[in-house]
Amino acid sequence: MPESIKTLEYDVLVIGGGIAGGESALNLADIGYKVLLVERDLTIGGKMILLSKVFPTLDCAACITTPKVSEIARHPNITIFTGAETEKVTKLGEHRFEAVIRQKPRYVNVSDCTGCQLCEEACPVSVSDQYQYGMVGRKAVYIPFSIASPRAAAIDIENCTLCGACERVCPTQCIDFTQTEERFLVKVKSVVVATGFELFDPLKIPRYGFGQYKNVITSMQMERQLAPTRPYNTILRPGDGKMPDNIAYVLCTGSRDKTVGNPICSQVCCMYSIKQAQLLMGALPMADITIYYLHIRAFGKGFNEFYAQAQDMGVEFVKGKVGKITEKENGNLILRYEDIEAGQVKEAEHDMVVLSVGVLPNRGISETFENQKLELDPFNFINQTDILASPAKTSIEGVFVAGTASGPMDIPDSILSGGAASAETTSYLRRAVS
Amino acid sequence: MEAEKGKTAKYLKAKRPVPKAVTEHLKYFTRTKKALINALKEGEKTVPQLAEILALPADEVMYHLMSLLKYGFVETGEMDDMDEYFYYKVKDHGKDKS
Ligand SMILES: Cc1cc2nc3c(=O)[nH]c(=O)nc-3n(C[C@H](O)[C@H](O)[C@H](O)COP(=O)(O)OP(=O)(O)OC[C@H]3O[C@@H](n4cnc5c(N)ncnc54)[C@H](O)[C@@H]3O)c2cc1C
Ligand code: SF4
Ligand code: SF4
């Protein structure tokens, strides 16, 4: 059956609406180019919009991201597709790309949804909230989180019982179960890939007990616990709701570790762990925080001072390699580690453990490029073919890379990289086609 | 094929039956929710206390209780004497119509 497919035209396709893609889109749109921003998730903002505060300034992440995200959303030259996947990208010639974009049904007309949440209240279903990394439930119809953009409901059709309660209470009648998938053929002159990173899955290191011991959590879960839109009433152990007072951090979980296939440093884990330790000292003044590290990499502007500040606040740093974590009956955890300075194997008890998980490549996107190869580097990030002279350049002329899609980096560097990608895209677009 | 606005769930249900696991999950949540709210109606409790009464793992109680807190059925009370666990209590009588 031939499917109808709408054709759309823009100057630039930006794939991925995190901080890097958002920055690229905004710069290009400001110059006057028409941009299509395609985001896989239900909201733009990427990982940053979910963070608590950001190192090294300790600015609230939402306070920086929210105005940026709304500027992107309101820009007359930017069209945003959320809940959309890039099926394929084909280069027909210089300044001539064609992409097929698949928009999955949200079952809610975003433009009519007021975000009133009456549907959420009516929905009887509760399933794990992916935006709270599983620490709490959410309804089958849900607004991802309060600062999501668009701030509109979506239906999780996989978990919906189709009881109709949500659409009966919706005051604007914007819920529509007749929606189906739409496909678009998009013609553009250039492409920016800003598909970001994946988090390391600590289930791959069974000796840390993640998944099995409920008081071993990831740093992203701790980020959520520290954010104003936290899953609990305060910082608590997921295992039994106890307020922790002796928290350990295990740095380099899934980074610089050949045994899990990721030999490189994730660049942000040291600093975000130090940040979280400082925030925890503020939130739980009685708590002891210990950071088990191999090396602290604090190379950025103001980073060393930030590290020293944590030491002054009383955060304990132990140069040690954690071998194994076991659980006691009361939910506390015993860390067995090699104290590198003392050259001894030691044990320590903590009531909660945070695994500082690493940054991994998000590999899928290169396979969507059809007739030319979007090369990956040896670590499976997108290869920067001319890293010194034009850092956004990829193996395909006219396709540029922004942010952590090219390798681990923090927010300031992701924004810089987004800026570089927009500048290089502009110069490509202005180059005459012979 | 035209589905009436505000009644489109029925239309999709005819085309796409709801998997059994989804209805089972709903039943389980509804049951746990009732049990938690009933236990809290008898007086405020901590997570370990609820886990014991309901004979459920404490992490599961925590997850569902925090969901009920988010949905507005439950609210946070004081901390216990050891400053370890919060008490939780029903809010608006657990949203009972009765
Ligand atoms: C626990 C933790 C704490 C952190 N704390 C800090 C901090 O305090 N300070 C700091 O500077 N940095 C911090 N970072 C790092 C920061 O999160 C990253 O630098 C930043 O989010 C990178 O932005 P990005 O846009 O490159 O990628 P992402 O945030 O990953 O965004 C990528 C976007 O692309 C979308 N996408 C992916 N694939 C596709 C596809 N195929 N099609 C369409 N869309 C797609 C994703 O859904 C996402 O929205 C922290 C990281 C972690 C894990
Ligand atoms: S139709 Fe689905 S989303 Fe709507 S209230 Fe019922 S279960 Fe929830
Ligand atoms: S879908 Fe309807 S009920 Fe739900 S938030 Fe939007 S306007 Fe409100």
Side-chain angles (χ1 to χ4, degrees), chain A residues 119 122-125 140-141 155 159-167 177, chain B residues 9:
Chain A
C119 52
C123 179
V125 173
V141 58
I155 284 170
N159 288 299
C160 167
T161 62
L162 293 170
C163 69
C166 52
E167 56 175 348
F177 285 98

Side-chain angles (χ1 to χ4, degrees), chain A residues 14-28 35 37 72 78 192-196 402-403 414 418:
Chain A
V14 176
I15 308 174
I19 193 68
E23 181 70 15
S24 297
L26 212 47
N27 290 337
L28 289 161
V35 178
L37 180 62
I72 298 164
I78 303 178
V192 174
V193 177
T195 45
S414 298

